[in-house]
Amino acid sequence: MADKKRPLQPEAEWHSRGYLPHWEAGENPQSITFRLADSLPVELLQRWTQESESSERSPNSTDRRRRYEEALDKGHGEALLVHPDAGATVQSALLHFDGVRYRLHAWSVMPNHVHVLSTPIDGHALSAIVHSWKSFTALQINRALGRQGTLWFPEYFDRRIRDEKHFETVRYYIEQNAVAAGLCARAQDWAFSSAAHTRLR
């Protein structure tokens, strides 16, 4: 007799909007990064594309993500999330449905991108969760800063967490990101991050 699927472990589903592949992994922790539309120079992205096309060996997903995140930490673009109102808006959006649509484990709202470690709750797709964060915050931030136009880059990175060691490595990376980027001396000094919060997660 075949084993029945666990009700809280939906079958994983790959999908793409033409930019990056995404995996709807059900109730599994996911590392997510989404960024502002102007957070990476067009010239840099074009060079990466040319290098990838001319190289016999394309960078794997880990190398590609590391390269993107190192570039993001340079703070390119308007870096609008450094504004207290903007940073607070994103953090509030992340916390709003914690325990309802997902379990939020760690986060850091950087000047031009956002890192999140969370587990979708059964019935809530990761793509829908990220879309809700971005659509709500775009409206609120544009209004608060008196601006118009696209705020977020349309895509995001996601990665399924493999095990407990991977989970702790990713959480540490997220909470230490502001320190690594030279924005503060201690992780807990970066206001818009889980490191600055004392609540149990």
Side-chain angles (χ1 to χ4, degrees):
M1 181 176 177
D3 291 337
K4 294 182 178 179
K5 290 180 181 176
R6 293 173 56 193
L8 297 184
Q9 292 288 112
E11 184 177 357
E13 179 183 351
W14 286 98
H15 65 91
S16 173
R17 294 179 56 197
Y19 299 92
L20 299 170
H22 301 294
W23 189 21
E24 294 291 354
E27 286 202 68
N28 287 286
Q30 295 261 28
S31 171
I32 305 139
T33 301
F34 56 102
R35 65 183 181 87
L36 295 179
D38 67 349
S39 57
L40 291 176
V42 174
E43 298 80 8
L44 179 62
L45 296 173
Q46 290 174 340
R47 186 172 77 242
W48 285 348
T49 299
Q50 292 171 354
E51 290 174 354
S52 179
E53 292 174 347
S54 63
S55 175
E56 295 182 0
R57 178 181 176 275
S58 298
N60 60 38
S61 59
T62 300
D63 292 338
R64 187 181 300 114
R65 180 163 181 165
R66 182 182 300 114
R67 182 169 63 178
Y68 268 77
E69 292 184 352
E70 287 175 353
L72 287 173
D73 284 343
K74 297 183 184 301
H76 181 78
E78 292 185 82
L80 295 174
L81 303 181
V82 78
H83 291 275
D85 287 345
T89 294
V90 175
Q91 181 165 260
S92 294
L94 298 177
L95 289 165
H96 187 71
F97 286 112
D98 181 22
V100 179
R101 297 179 180 177
Y102 46 82
R103 291 184 291 278
L104 190 59
H105 310 296
W107 69 91
S108 183
V109 182
M110 300 291 285
N112 65 2
H113 64 287
V114 180
H115 291 299
V116 182
L117 177 60
S118 69
T119 302
I121 290 176
D122 186 40
H124 297 280
L126 179 64
S127 55
I129 291 169
V130 177
H131 175 74
S132 71
W133 290 337
K134 292 166 72 175
S135 61
F136 174 79
T137 56
L139 178 64
Q140 297 299 315
I141 290 172
N142 277 347
R143 182 179 298 162
L145 299 183
R147 70 183 300 277
Q148 295 180 339
T150 301
L151 182 71
W152 299 107
F153 182 71
E155 275 287 15
Y156 60 93
F157 276 107
D158 61 82
R159 174 172 295 171
R160 178 181 179 273
I161 301 301
R162 298 185 301 273
D163 51 35
E164 185 175 349
K165 181 179 179 181
H166 188 204
F167 182 96
E168 291 303 328
T169 297
V170 170
R171 177 154 67 177
Y172 181 83
Y173 173 84
I174 289 174
E175 295 191 339
Q176 292 292 322
N177 194 202
V179 177
L183 299 173
C184 59
R186 302 180 306 164
Q188 57 267 38
D189 293 337
W190 191 247
F192 305 122
S193 72
S194 49
H197 288 245
T198 58
R199 70 181 183 85
L200 293 176
R201 300 186 296 278

